[in-house]
């Protein structure tokens, strides 16, 4: 069975500050991991994905995430927050060759001016 | 390419009414999905179709039916709507590509049942 846990349903950071959104996974098989972003009143958009090619994954809009097997974590970071980053972020997991993915409950990111 | 499209964007139903949510994709994907999104619950899979002619239940299938009409279209039907089905519904599609399934989402249908 697979699952992801996102720590913090709401995170607030100041514009220009570091963004850190936490995700821990549980998987009985080597996982694929994803971060999706949802802007208000829109569908989900893929930010980045981990497929075992490299533990540090770079995505769109300056975001990156690091896969740490020893910590079963896949935290999302961005060095400097921008007002346009305000959105809800979802971590997700799937098994290799599995066409279904399991989503976390989401973290809403608020950017303070 | 339009990607994944959903109709309608908004809908208000009375308890007991029925309706069908439509979804279409133009990416020639085999797999299609219906999710519901509720505050604090993330996305939960309602039904899933691995290919034309096949459907499987997801995590929360009760009160819903689906039809995979052809490779492009995957509809979700509420036969007798209940207030607990008030939610935002997302359709998605995916295909095996360079070692991974990546899901593409539609813009969602916001459904209110009164």
């Amino acid at each position: 069975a697979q699952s992801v846990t996102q720590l913090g349903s709401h995170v607030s950071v100041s514009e220009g500050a570091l963004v850190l959104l936490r995700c821990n996974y549980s998987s009985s098989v080597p996982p694929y991991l994803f971060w999706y972003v949802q802007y208000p009143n829109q569908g989900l958009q893929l930010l980045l994905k981990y497929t075992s090619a490299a533990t540090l994954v770079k995505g769109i809009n300056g975001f990156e995430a690091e896969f740490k097997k020893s910590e079963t974590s896949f935290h999302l970071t961005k060095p400097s927050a921008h007002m346009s980053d305000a959105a809800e972020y979802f971590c997700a997991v799937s098994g290799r060759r599995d066409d279904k993915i399991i989503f976390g409950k989401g973290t809403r990111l608020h950017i303070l001016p | 390419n339009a990607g994944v499209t959903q109709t309608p964007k908004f809908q208000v139903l009375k308890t007991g009414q029925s309706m069908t949510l439509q979804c279409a994709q133009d990416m020639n994907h085999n797999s299609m999905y219906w999710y519901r999104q509720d505050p604090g619950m993330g996305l939960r899979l309602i039904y899933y179709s691995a290919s034309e002619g096949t459907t499987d239940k997801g995590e929360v299938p009760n009160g819903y039916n689906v039809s995979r009409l052809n490779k492009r279209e995957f509809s979700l039907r509420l036969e007798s709507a209940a207030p607990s089905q008030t939610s935002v519904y997302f359709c998605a599609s995916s295909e095996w590509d360079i070692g991974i399934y990546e899901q593409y989402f539609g813009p969602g249908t916001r459904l209110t049942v009164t």
Side-chain angles (χ1 to χ4, degrees), chain A residues 65-77:
Chain A
E66 186 172 8
F67 173 73
K68 292 187 177 180
K69 185 177 179 181
S70 61
E71 298 177 9
T72 61
S73 68
F74 190 57
H75 302 331
L76 182 70
T77 60

Side-chain angles (χ1 to χ4, degrees), chain B residues 22-25 32 67-75:
Chain B
Q22 306 287 354
C23 173
Q25 51 92 8
M32 296 187 72
S67 295
R68 184 73 182 268
L69 306 169
N70 48 54
K71 191 171 186 179
R72 289 187 66 247
E73 298 172 290
F74 188 36
S75 62

Side-chain angles (χ1 to χ4, degrees), chain B residues 9-47:
Chain B
K9 285 187 167 45
F10 302 94
Q11 185 71 47
V12 179
L13 292 178
K14 295 187 188 306
T15 297
Q17 287 185 319
S18 63
M19 79 160 295
T20 299
L21 281 64
Q22 306 287 354
C23 173
Q25 51 92 8
D26 62 2
M27 296 174 282
N28 203 36
H29 288 171
N30 278 302
S31 299
M32 296 187 72
Y33 315 79
W34 276 105
Y35 294 92
R36 60 177 289 170
Q37 181 182 23
D38 302 291
M41 301 293 289
L43 273 76
R44 292 180 291 170
L45 184 65
I46 304 171
Y47 268 95

